[in-house]
Amino acid sequence: MKHFKNLSDLHKARGWPISENPLLSLMTCVNTCPASCGTASNEYTTVFYIIAFKKVLSGGLYYGRTKYDHNQGSMIYIKPGQVVELKNIQLEGSGFTIMFHPDFLNGESLHQTIKKYSFFDYETNEALHISPREEEIMWELFRKIETEYNNNQDEYTKEIILGHIEAILKYSQRFYKRQFLNRAELTGKVISKFNKAIRQYFENGELQTNGLPTVTAIAAQLKMSPHYLSDLLRQETGRSAIDHIHSYLTTEAKNLLIGADLTVAQIAYQLGFENPPYFSRLFRKETGISPVAYRKQH
């Protein structure tokens, strides 16, 4: 697998013109994606961020662990170190790609705020599918970046470009919320499926073999990435996936504290906690009182 440490090496490998800025690259493509050809291996990793808009008609596009299989316009977000694989990509119409090295963000607020955009950790099949109007907005922002990129650069250029990139990310967050709502209407409440998955985790004996349920384990059961699941739940309920796991464990603990003749430590071990003091801290955080105090009250 090829690893690209800088944009210049990627451009040379793909046969693209050398980028004007060593930390920022803009590409447009029509019908054929140039990123899917030009090297013996089309599987690679990079050290930079990639934001792209594509309408894939055929071919294989992978990042994360799954294949992109949607033929409407979609936004794609790839973080440094993520494996990307492209095979004979055929597009409908035009697409664009923005690539930037993390060093391009040094000294700027986006260096920190980009970490809050959890869709960089989503899987391919969780890409953002945008409407024609949303597509217009994304193209408009890309064109503004392109204009700044191709003009004579001055002390304002970088700030303006980063402002437009962050606008793309903010719009993406807004559009994802719309997608979450639409998904909930089509597939039912995620929280119901999440609670069922946790129940099955307990009933199937996974607590004894694998320990405490994790967001990763429950997400895998629901065939989602952990970040996507957590964002769906936060949109639907206002609480993250780990919050719901803690709530479920606390409910189970309350039942055992009242109905079982076990010590607090034994209950902690039975629920999968290796460290009873950690169990007590979590219980206090969820309920406001210690397990011993809860037992005495009831």
Side-chain angles (χ1 to χ4, degrees), residues 162-268:
L162 288 177
H164 293 320
I165 289 175
E166 184 152 28
I168 287 176
L169 298 178
K170 287 178 177 177
Y171 272 110
S172 299
Q173 205 163 44
R174 170 187 282 180
F175 298 157
Y176 257 118
K177 285 195 174 185
R178 182 265 308 154
Q179 185 163 304
F180 290 153
L181 291 171
N182 289 346
R183 176 178 179 140
E185 290 173 4
L186 291 172
T187 63
K189 295 294 184 182
V190 178
I191 184 61
S192 300
K193 297 178 181 180
F194 183 84
N195 287 334
K196 181 180 179 182
I198 294 182
R199 271 199 316 275
Q200 290 176 340
Y201 189 93
F202 275 73
E203 292 168 0
N204 295 341
E206 293 183 64
L207 193 67
Q208 286 68 43
T209 56
N210 301 323
L212 289 171
T214 64
V215 177
T216 300
I218 303 301
Q221 195 170 332
L222 296 175
K223 295 181 172 54
M224 299 180 190
S225 68
H227 281 83
Y228 192 76
L229 171 60
S230 199
D231 287 347
L232 272 172
L233 285 170
R234 189 176 283 109
Q235 174 65 27
E236 192 173 289
T237 69
R239 306 182 74 204
S240 68
I242 194 64
D243 290 337
H244 284 286
I245 289 176
H246 288 167
S247 179
Y248 190 92
L249 289 168
T250 302
T251 300
E252 292 295 307
K254 287 178 179 178
N255 182 57
L256 291 171
L257 284 166
I258 296 173
D261 187 19
L262 299 171
T263 67
V264 171
Q266 287 172 327
I267 290 172

Side-chain angles (χ1 to χ4, degrees), residues 117-149:
Y117 296 108
S118 53
F119 42 75
F120 279 104
D121 289 295
Y122 291 174
E123 294 289 328
T124 319
N125 60 346
E126 296 160 349
L128 173 61
H129 308 311
I130 58 179
S131 69
R133 175 58 190 139
E134 293 166 350
E135 180 183 335
E136 288 177 14
I137 292 171
M138 293 302 193
W139 270 109
E140 182 180 349
L141 288 166
F142 176 79
R143 294 301 183 197
K144 287 180 178 179
I145 295 171
E146 195 175 44
T147 297
E148 286 294 326
Y149 181 83

Side-chain angles (χ1 to χ4, degrees), residues 284-298:
R284 182 185 290 275
K285 178 184 175 184
E286 289 290 312
T287 65
I289 58 175
S290 70
V292 173
Y294 181 86
R295 172 173 271 170
K296 286 180 179 179
Q297 282 186 4
H298 295 81

